[in-house]
Amino acid sequence: MELRESVPLRAGPGGAPVECPVRWQRSSRARRTSLRIDARSGEVVVTLPLRGSRRQGMALLGNHADWVMERLSALAPAVAFADGAEVPLGGIPHRIRHDPAARAGVFLQDGEIVASGEAAFLARRVGDFLRAEARRRILPLVARYAASLGVRAGAVRLKDTRSRWGSCAPDGTLAFSWRLVLAPEWVMDYVVAHEVAHLRELNHSPRFWAVLRSINPHHEAAQDWLRRHGAGLLRVG
């Protein structure tokens, strides 16, 4: 079950009700009713167990209305891939410019992301370009860090995750959010180093952190940047 609707929530005594976007979903794994904020869609997600009721979900929303509205209002504005929109690339703002007469494809030029072709396909083409750019930048970093540690990476996959910037599977497969290409280069560098370090230590033991520190000196600053700005990257596209 998945249902989207607008639900009026009242924050504080005497406050006027405010319409909030809510996505209802039911999960066989849920043991209790829960809620979270989906930063990418800008929705409140209410998860119900199989026998949970809408009434329980509404009660939870009402009891946490202040928290919900505070979190929603703190979200960065959504930025669509559209002509004139400004998106970060490597942490540097780039303006999207639609130029139907430009040479075929999407390319970088003087601080702009220039896209040719029909306007109807602009968003998809810019998204595809950024995913390809993420792969182009991430693969050399994987190779460099793997060589420095004397390990071998498996396949490298690009995903659009909501909570994890990277992961390392037991078989050596590495996965990264393509949205890292939007972050400053040193932040992407840290996430790649973090996941490659797991090829040596597939855990978060003191040995793992020692390995990571040996190849990446700014991991604490990068973690702090992602805590403060990571949710904003989910609002792009």
Side-chain angles (χ1 to χ4, degrees), residues 98-149:
H98 179 224
D99 184 355
R103 60 183 174 88
V106 181
F107 55 93
L108 299 176
Q109 179 178 287
D110 300 328
E112 293 183 321
I113 301 173
V114 183
S116 63
E118 298 179 34
F121 304 114
L122 175 66
R124 177 181 59 79
R125 299 188 76 188
V126 170
D128 289 345
F129 168 80
L130 290 173
R131 286 169 173 80
E133 187 68 12
R135 177 170 292 276
R136 187 185 71 80
R137 298 185 185 198
I138 286 173
L139 288 181
L141 294 175
V142 170
R144 175 161 64 87
Y145 280 122
S148 70
L149 292 178

Side-chain angles (χ1 to χ4, degrees), residues 4 21 23 36-45 72 75 78 162 234-235:
R4 285 178 165 86
R23 184 167 83 240
R36 64 179 176 84
I37 305 298
D38 185 334
R40 192 165 79 183
S41 65
E43 297 171 314
V44 187
V45 181
L72 288 176
L75 290 177
R162 282 178 164 82
L234 301 178
R235 303 287 285 161

